Amino acid sequence: MKRVAILISGGGSNMLALLDSMAEPGHCGMPCLVASNDPQASGLARAAERGVATAALDHRRFGKDRPAFEAELHRIITDHGADMICLAGFMRVLTAGFVTPWSGRMLNIHPSLLPKYRGLHSHARAIEAGDAEHGCTVHEVTPELDDGPILGQARVPIIEGDTPETLAARVLTMEHRLYPAVLRRFAAGDRTQLFLP
Ligand code: GAR
């Protein structure tokens, strides 16, 4: 069994999809912690309701001292016996100092068809560019932002009249399918790419 720590910053709908999936038979992962950099993140209460250990580490307490924040986050995660980390809407950039020790053991979901639209506002940027399709990517985390080996992608058409909000909602539905499917495979040692639909 792989013990999985999930890091969130907000509502945690992807986190809930991962918890639901890990509760299914035959999964090689089990949740050991849901942690957030924002003590107000509503996902924390939703995880606690499901009996998963939670932790809040307010990054604002650390001011500009990113290494100190990351060292404390690492300590909390290792204290919970995590074997791997899933970033699920975790909106802090993590430096090489944090990422390197978790190399090959940390996944992220990003709302674009990487390598397109790293960083923020990916939905607006895809619409602005006149793209015919958009989507989401699950990848291994490396020190470069939204980079690292791609483990899965799901595509979503961009339709006439889409706004960043309508498109984001459609992509999120696919995120909830893609991320659990990739984690299930990854936890079992399968790093081959998965493409949906
Ligand atoms: C998701 O769309 C996720 O892909 C995105 O934040 C949202 C979190 O929603 N992540 C990023 O933009 C990371 N750069 P959730 O809290 O409901 O899972």
Side-chain angles (χ1 to χ4, degrees), residues 10-15 88-91 108-111 119 146 172 175-176:
S13 70
N14 276 290
M15 172 273 294
F90 186 69
M91 301 309 279
N108 180 43
I109 186 152
H110 182 74
D146 299 329
L172 193 61
E175 294 184 40
H176 298 160

Side-chain angles (χ1 to χ4, degrees), residues 73-131:
L73 186 59
H74 179 84
R75 189 192 63 74
I76 292 169
I77 293 167
T78 51
D79 278 358
H80 285 80
D83 299 305
M84 62 171 291
I85 298 173
C86 287
L87 305 180
F90 186 69
M91 301 309 279
R92 301 298 297 168
V93 169
L94 294 166
T95 70
F98 183 92
V99 171
T100 305
W102 292 99
S103 176
R105 300 188 296 148
M106 177 158 45
L107 307 185
N108 180 43
I109 186 152
H110 182 74
S112 80
L113 296 171
L114 290 174
K116 280 185 150 188
Y117 310 127
R118 297 184 167 105
L120 298 175
H121 311 303
S122 56
H123 309 294
R125 287 155 69 201
I127 293 171
E128 185 102 332
D131 291 358

